[in-house]
Amino acid sequence: MRSYEVISVLSAKDKQVFKVRSQGVDYILKIYPDIKSADKESEIAAKVSMTGYAPKVIEKDGDKTLFEYIEGDNFNDVFRAATMTDDIQTMELLAGRLSIFLQMLYSFSDCVMKKIDFNNFLIKEGRVIGVDFSQLDDGMPYEDLASAITCALFNSVGEYYSCYPFIQKLLNCFKLSMMDVINEIKVKLEDVGKKTKESVDVDLLLDSLANFDEKGVDWRKLI
């Protein structure tokens, strides 16, 4: 693998992620816990990158993979700002762009993200770009939809219902109702609550989500 200098450390969870520079060009370097994990993500990323929805794989060596560095806006930052300012138009735009990415990913790879983290997406030139495919696995699109809704609820600034315009738009894009994914959302809410140790009244939240869909409440009037 080419020589490089580390510019910054981006993550050190399930794998080490760095922004590096080689011969004046910036890249993303990922160092995985094992070669199998490196092969899995590199293979998927290489396929998706052909659609323009993922960074290109530049070079791979054992448990290390060098990716194209993409400059863009962090999805979660834009989402949180929109919920903080009640920017419904931006929330709906984000939901539409994310749905395009997820449906493209499923049709192209027959896989789903499994666990969605808004920090693993960038926004550039009107599209959502995925930068982490390590959790990708077999599944159905409604699993990603439920995961995205859960992520939205936990990342909304202020009251959780501030992100409802985003959720409703996402449901519409998938042509599903809240009740189609409510059970999957419950599982993911409980899972996130356990991992983050946050006190979440899951039953109350689910009841609100279900009533919102059944009654057709216009959340624009509440924001």
Side-chain angles (χ1 to χ4, degrees):
M1 181 171 283
R2 68 192 68 187
S3 59
Y4 54 83
E5 63 172 314
V6 174
I7 304 302
S8 59
V9 178
L10 302 180
S11 177
K13 295 179 181 179
D14 56 335
K15 56 183 172 292
Q16 296 176 289
V17 184
F18 307 91
K19 180 181 179 181
V20 301
R21 185 168 296 156
S22 178
Q23 298 182 347
V25 180
D26 291 344
Y27 301 96
I28 294 297
L29 173 68
K30 295 186 180 183
I31 302 178
Y32 299 82
D34 52 68
I35 295 177
K36 183 178 179 180
S37 298
D39 289 343
K40 178 183 177 181
E41 183 167 11
S42 299
E43 181 180 346
I44 293 294
K47 290 180 180 179
V48 179
S49 68
M50 291 188 291
T51 68
Y53 285 91
K56 298 176 182 177
V57 176
I58 304 299
E59 192 175 359
K60 185 180 179 303
D61 182 14
D63 62 351
K64 299 179 181 179
T65 304
L66 199 65
F67 292 89
E68 169 191 16
Y69 174 74
I70 296 177
E71 190 76 49
D73 297 319
N74 179 277
F75 188 101
N76 197 44
D77 289 345
V78 178
F79 172 81
R80 287 177 61 82
T83 61
M84 182 171 60
T85 59
D86 299 331
D87 187 344
I88 293 175
Q89 183 177 7
T90 296
M91 280 188 268
E92 292 180 341
L93 187 61
L94 289 173
R97 289 174 175 175
L98 181 60
S99 71
I100 291 173
F101 171 86
L102 294 175
Q103 293 181 64
M104 177 282 304
L105 181 66
Y106 184 73
S107 63
F108 195 78
S109 67
D110 291 326
C111 293
V112 295
M113 298 293 287
K114 282 298 192 181
K115 179 183 177 182
I116 288 182
D117 181 344
F118 289 167
N119 285 303
N120 290 331
F121 299 100
L122 296 175
I123 302 172
K124 182 178 181 180
E125 298 176 352
R127 66 172 60 188
V128 168
I129 298 173
V131 296
D132 190 317
F133 298 92
S134 58
Q135 301 294 322
L136 214 69
D137 208 340
D138 295 335
M140 298 298 292
Y142 74 86
E143 295 180 67
D144 276 352
L145 177 58
S147 183
I149 290 173
T150 302
C151 188
L153 292 168
F154 275 89
N155 284 281
S156 179
V157 178
E159 298 296 333
Y160 67 84
Y161 60 73
S162 295
C163 69
Y164 273 21
F166 172 89
I167 293 175
Q168 184 59 65
K169 179 64 175 181
L170 202 58
L171 287 166
N172 291 342
C173 288
F174 278 86
K175 298 181 180 179
L176 292 172
S177 70
M178 188 71 76
M179 298 312 295
D180 290 325
V181 293
I182 200 76
N183 290 330
E184 189 68 23
I185 291 173
K186 179 179 181 180
V187 172
K188 294 187 180 298
L189 282 172
E190 292 173 340
D191 185 53
V192 173
K194 290 177 183 177
K195 290 181 179 179
T196 61
K197 296 182 180 180
E198 290 189 32
S199 179
V200 180
D201 191 331
V202 174
D203 290 334
L204 179 62
L205 184 51
L206 289 172
D207 184 57
S208 298
L209 291 172
N211 288 335
F212 153 67
D213 192 62
E214 290 175 355
K215 297 178 181 178
V217 176
D218 184 357
W219 286 95
R220 296 169 192 265
K221 296 178 182 178
L222 300 180
I223 296 176

